[in-house]
Short mmCIF file of all heavy atoms in Angstrom, two decimals:
data_model
loop_
_atom_site.label_atom_id
_atom_site.label_comp_id
_atom_site.label_asym_id
_atom_site.label_seq_id
_atom_site.Cartn_x
_atom_site.Cartn_y
_atom_site.Cartn_z
N SER Z 31 21.71 15.47 -19.52
CA SER Z 31 22.74 14.98 -20.43
C SER Z 31 23.96 15.90 -20.41
O SER Z 31 25.11 15.42 -20.43
CB SER Z 31 22.19 14.86 -21.85
OG SER Z 31 21.15 13.90 -21.93
N CYS Z 32 23.72 17.20 -20.38
CA CYS Z 32 24.84 18.16 -20.32
C CYS Z 32 25.63 17.99 -19.02
O CYS Z 32 26.86 18.14 -19.01
CB CYS Z 32 24.32 19.59 -20.46
SG CYS Z 32 23.69 19.99 -22.10
N LEU Z 33 24.93 17.67 -17.93
CA LEU Z 33 25.62 17.41 -16.67
C LEU Z 33 26.53 16.20 -16.80
O LEU Z 33 27.68 16.22 -16.32
CB LEU Z 33 24.59 17.18 -15.56
CG LEU Z 33 25.15 16.76 -14.20
CD1 LEU Z 33 26.06 17.85 -13.63
CD2 LEU Z 33 24.02 16.44 -13.22
N PHE Z 34 26.07 15.16 -17.47
CA PHE Z 34 26.90 13.98 -17.67
C PHE Z 34 28.08 14.29 -18.58
O PHE Z 34 29.16 13.70 -18.42
CB PHE Z 34 26.06 12.83 -18.25
CG PHE Z 34 25.24 12.11 -17.23
CD1 PHE Z 34 23.86 12.08 -17.32
CD2 PHE Z 34 25.84 11.46 -16.17
CE1 PHE Z 34 23.10 11.42 -16.38
CE2 PHE Z 34 25.09 10.79 -15.22
CZ PHE Z 34 23.71 10.77 -15.32
N VAL Z 35 27.92 15.20 -19.54
CA VAL Z 35 29.04 15.61 -20.38
C VAL Z 35 30.13 16.24 -19.52
O VAL Z 35 31.33 15.93 -19.67
CB VAL Z 35 28.58 16.60 -21.47
CG1 VAL Z 35 29.78 17.23 -22.17
CG2 VAL Z 35 27.69 15.90 -22.49
N VAL Z 36 29.73 17.11 -18.59
CA VAL Z 36 30.70 17.76 -17.69
C VAL Z 36 31.40 16.72 -16.82
O VAL Z 36 32.63 16.75 -16.65
CB VAL Z 36 29.99 18.82 -16.82
CG1 VAL Z 36 30.96 19.38 -15.77
CG2 VAL Z 36 29.42 19.94 -17.68
N ILE Z 37 30.62 15.77 -16.28
CA ILE Z 37 31.20 14.72 -15.44
C ILE Z 37 32.19 13.89 -16.24
O ILE Z 37 33.30 13.56 -15.77
CB ILE Z 37 30.08 13.83 -14.86
CG1 ILE Z 37 29.23 14.63 -13.88
CG2 ILE Z 37 30.67 12.60 -14.18
CD1 ILE Z 37 27.99 13.88 -13.40
N SER Z 38 31.83 13.53 -17.47
CA SER Z 38 32.71 12.73 -18.32
C SER Z 38 33.99 13.47 -18.64
O SER Z 38 35.10 12.92 -18.53
CB SER Z 38 31.98 12.35 -19.62
OG SER Z 38 32.84 11.70 -20.52
N ALA Z 39 33.87 14.75 -19.04
CA ALA Z 39 35.05 15.54 -19.40
C ALA Z 39 35.99 15.70 -18.20
O ALA Z 39 37.21 15.60 -18.34
CB ALA Z 39 34.62 16.90 -19.94
N CYS Z 40 35.41 15.93 -17.01
CA CYS Z 40 36.23 16.07 -15.80
C CYS Z 40 36.88 14.73 -15.44
O CYS Z 40 38.05 14.69 -15.02
CB CYS Z 40 35.39 16.58 -14.64
SG CYS Z 40 34.78 18.26 -14.85
N SER Z 41 36.13 13.65 -15.61
CA SER Z 41 36.66 12.32 -15.29
C SER Z 41 37.83 11.96 -16.20
O SER Z 41 38.81 11.35 -15.76
CB SER Z 41 35.55 11.27 -15.42
OG SER Z 41 36.04 9.97 -15.26
N LEU Z 42 37.74 12.34 -17.46
CA LEU Z 42 38.80 12.03 -18.42
C LEU Z 42 39.97 13.00 -18.35
O LEU Z 42 40.98 12.80 -19.02
CB LEU Z 42 38.23 12.01 -19.84
CG LEU Z 42 37.19 10.91 -20.13
CD1 LEU Z 42 36.57 11.11 -21.50
CD2 LEU Z 42 37.84 9.54 -20.04
N LYS Z 43 39.80 14.09 -17.57
CA LYS Z 43 40.88 15.07 -17.35
C LYS Z 43 41.44 15.62 -18.65
O LYS Z 43 42.65 15.71 -18.83
CB LYS Z 43 41.99 14.44 -16.51
CG LYS Z 43 41.54 14.05 -15.11
CD LYS Z 43 42.66 13.43 -14.30
CE LYS Z 43 42.18 13.05 -12.91
NZ LYS Z 43 43.24 12.42 -12.09
N GLY Z 44 40.55 15.96 -19.56
CA GLY Z 44 40.99 16.55 -20.82
C GLY Z 44 41.26 15.57 -21.92
O GLY Z 44 41.57 15.96 -23.04
N GLY Z 45 41.15 14.25 -21.62
CA GLY Z 45 41.32 13.25 -22.67
C GLY Z 45 42.75 12.80 -22.85
O GLY Z 45 43.67 13.20 -22.12
N ILE Z 46 42.95 11.99 -23.86
CA ILE Z 46 44.25 11.38 -24.12
C ILE Z 46 44.59 11.49 -25.60
O ILE Z 46 43.71 11.35 -26.45
CB ILE Z 46 44.24 9.89 -23.69
CG1 ILE Z 46 45.55 9.20 -24.06
CG2 ILE Z 46 43.08 9.15 -24.31
CD1 ILE Z 46 45.62 7.74 -23.65
N MET Z 47 45.86 11.76 -25.86
CA MET Z 47 46.35 11.65 -27.24
C MET Z 47 46.69 10.19 -27.48
O MET Z 47 47.76 9.71 -27.13
CB MET Z 47 47.58 12.53 -27.44
CG MET Z 47 47.26 13.95 -27.87
SD MET Z 47 46.31 14.07 -29.39
CE MET Z 47 47.51 13.50 -30.57
#
Side-chain angles (χ1 to χ4, degrees):
S31 296
C32 291
L33 174 62
F34 281 118
V35 169
V36 174
I37 294 172
S38 174
C40 294
S41 174
L42 295 173
K43 297 180 180 179
I46 175 179
M47 271 302 291

